[in-house]
Amino acid sequence: MLLKDLKEIYHKQLDVIYGKEEVGSFFFLCIEHYLNLPRFQLALQPQFTIVKSETDMFFKVLEDLKQQKPIQYILGETEFFGLPFKVNKHVLVPRPETEELVTLILQNINKQKNSKAIKVLDIGTGSGCIAISLAKKSPNTSVFALDVSKEAIEIAKQNAKLNNVEITFIEADILSETTWDLEFKDLEFDIIVSNPPYVRDLEKEEINPNVLNNEPHLALFVKDENPLLFYRAITSFAKNNLKQNGQLYFEINQYLGEETKQVLIDANFMDIELLKDLNGNDRMLKGIKK
Ligand code: SAM
Ligand code: GLN
């Protein structure tokens, strides 16, 4: 089959769902991924043909896209902070807001004058995107990463290998104080970071169906009555396990900026900063342990 005919079929069937531009970019991602072709190849060789097994594969992808399955899950990979990450249905697809959080942390690490080795913990690591980017971009850092999901830890381990970094992975529930005693008794960190679940059930309505139907609910949702439970637990944990002047970073729910900030104020953190993402929404919180 001619590759350009296939492209036309993609547009015909998908433009109504995603718009022309996004479908074009899906198609190019697919030809890069499955055919190992650079995206300009089609322009250079309009008569480029693909064999039956390849055509079958592209039609399967087309079906998945029609069902609004995220392209990252279809391909099984994505990019975060310029690095490759494997993803599957057990981990959240890393978001651009989270890249902003990583940038903020790296800026602060680089500001520090002494280049002493530092210890970092990422709580709710999912694909490992935060932990692995920090390990990669800040070499003098020893990074620990925790998740309650065995399947997520499995993917995060593969991603650490893929990116050639050493991370200490811990499979445990951060809401359980037993975890704190068992896993972290004598460990103190310079930095603790977390992008925990923070979307309230009441916000489900505004969540895109492709997120709602495909991404792990364990990674996303919290009960309406207690949306800050992870922030409270992690902040108490950080009171014990951050060094003096250690830094705590959170990605947060945009509608709960002030309330989440109050959690750090109540716990006596200092230099608290509530920061916005590129869309102008409250998204990051930083505090220093006294
Ligand atoms: N850090 C990744 C990122 O930024 O893309 C994933 C963040 S995702 C919003 C939250 C993660 O927290 C999920 O991987 C989920 O499995 C994990 N998680 C949920 N409940 C947890 C718990 N009680 N203890 C530890 N991790 C938990
Ligand atoms: N930013 C994610 C979303 O909008 C939510 C991430 C989280 O719950 N920590 O789907």
Side-chain angles (χ1 to χ4, degrees):
M1 180 176 193
L2 282 175
L3 193 56
K4 75 170 182 339
D5 291 343
L6 186 66
K7 186 164 184 242
E8 221 160 84
I9 295 172
Y10 265 55
H11 278 297
K12 216 175 249 158
Q13 303 206 14
L14 297 172
D15 282 5
V16 280
I17 311 175
Y18 297 102
K20 198 169 165 22
E21 205 175 312
E22 192 159 15
V23 174
S25 103
F26 289 160
F27 190 76
F28 285 128
L29 280 172
C30 289
I31 67 172
E32 279 173 354
H33 182 85
Y34 294 111
L35 306 175
N36 208 7
L37 279 184
R39 52 181 59 201
F40 53 79
Q41 198 68 32
L42 194 51
L44 291 179
Q45 273 178 280
Q47 295 307 311
F48 194 93
T49 57
I50 54 173
V51 299
K52 165 110 179 35
S53 59
E54 291 166 338
T55 310
D56 290 348
M57 171 65 83
F58 273 89
F59 275 103
K60 192 182 165 302
V61 171
L62 179 63
E63 276 319 301
D64 283 344
L65 285 169
K66 273 200 230 162
Q67 304 299 321
Q68 305 218 30
K69 188 168 175 186
I71 187 77
Q72 296 89 342
Y73 290 140
I74 297 174
L75 304 178
E77 66 182 22
T78 189
E79 215 181 85
F80 179 86
F81 222 77
L83 302 169
F85 284 87
K86 294 185 184 187
V87 289
N88 66 14
K89 63 178 182 187
H90 300 293
V91 300
L92 194 81
V93 173
R95 305 288 205 266
E97 301 89 281
T98 311
E99 292 182 321
E100 291 186 59
L101 180 67
V102 170
T103 303
L104 174 73
I105 298 171
L106 285 173
Q107 278 166 353
N108 286 324
I109 291 178
N110 291 334
K111 257 188 228 156
Q112 264 139 28
K113 292 198 181 55
N114 54 3
S115 51
K116 244 181 31 208
I118 58 168
K119 224 181 241 167
V120 177
L121 170 64
D122 172 27
I123 297 173
T125 198
S127 62
C129 60
I130 299 175
I132 291 167
S133 309
L134 291 175
K136 193 82 189 167
K137 306 284 172 175
S138 174
N140 207 7
T141 304
S142 87
V143 182
F144 294 68
L146 173 147
D147 206 290
V148 74
S149 155
K150 186 178 169 48
E151 292 84 1
I153 291 281
E154 196 44 55
I155 287 287
K157 279 184 181 165
Q158 291 179 27
N159 283 326
K161 214 179 221 169
L162 180 66
N163 285 290
N164 210 8
V165 291
E166 290 284 331
I167 310 261
T168 306
F169 287 103
I170 300 162
E171 184 193 322
D173 177 358
I174 198 61
L175 299 176
S176 146
E177 291 191 19
T178 320
T179 297
W180 306 4
D181 296 339
L182 277 181
E183 306 283 349
F184 295 104
K185 200 164 183 312
D186 299 311
L187 268 177
E188 280 197 328
F189 297 92
D190 298 273
I191 294 177
I192 293 177
V193 51
S194 183
N195 172 17
Y198 61 62
V199 181
R200 287 171 293 181
D201 287 328
L202 64 87
E203 289 157 22
K204 273 187 180 154
E205 277 171 28
E206 53 180 88
I207 292 249
N208 212 313
N210 66 349
V211 171
L212 199 57
N213 299 332
N214 292 283
E215 302 214 58
H217 287 201
L218 175 67
L220 286 168
F221 294 110
V222 285
K223 295 263 168 287
D224 294 343
E225 316 79 69
N226 196 6
L228 299 180
L229 85 161
F230 283 97
Y231 296 90
R232 293 212 175 82
I234 292 169
T235 303
S236 313
F237 170 78
K239 283 218 62 124
N240 290 325
N241 291 74
L242 268 179
K243 294 179 188 165
Q244 194 183 4
N245 290 321
Q247 303 161 32
L248 175 60
Y249 292 91
F250 284 122
E251 182 174 317
I252 63 162
N253 182 317
Q254 66 193 82
Y255 305 117
L256 299 171
E258 288 303 327
E259 291 91 325
T260 318
K261 185 176 167 184
Q262 192 61 43
V263 174
L264 293 199
I265 296 171
D266 293 344
N268 232 348
F269 275 70
M270 56 185 191
D271 298 342
I272 299 167
E273 290 176 65
L274 177 59
L275 300 151
K276 293 191 192 303
D277 62 21
L278 285 175
N279 295 318
N281 294 316
D282 284 340
R283 188 64 68 199
M284 291 162 281
L285 188 64
K286 183 200 162 195
I288 306 274
K289 182 185 148 174
K290 270 188 190 149

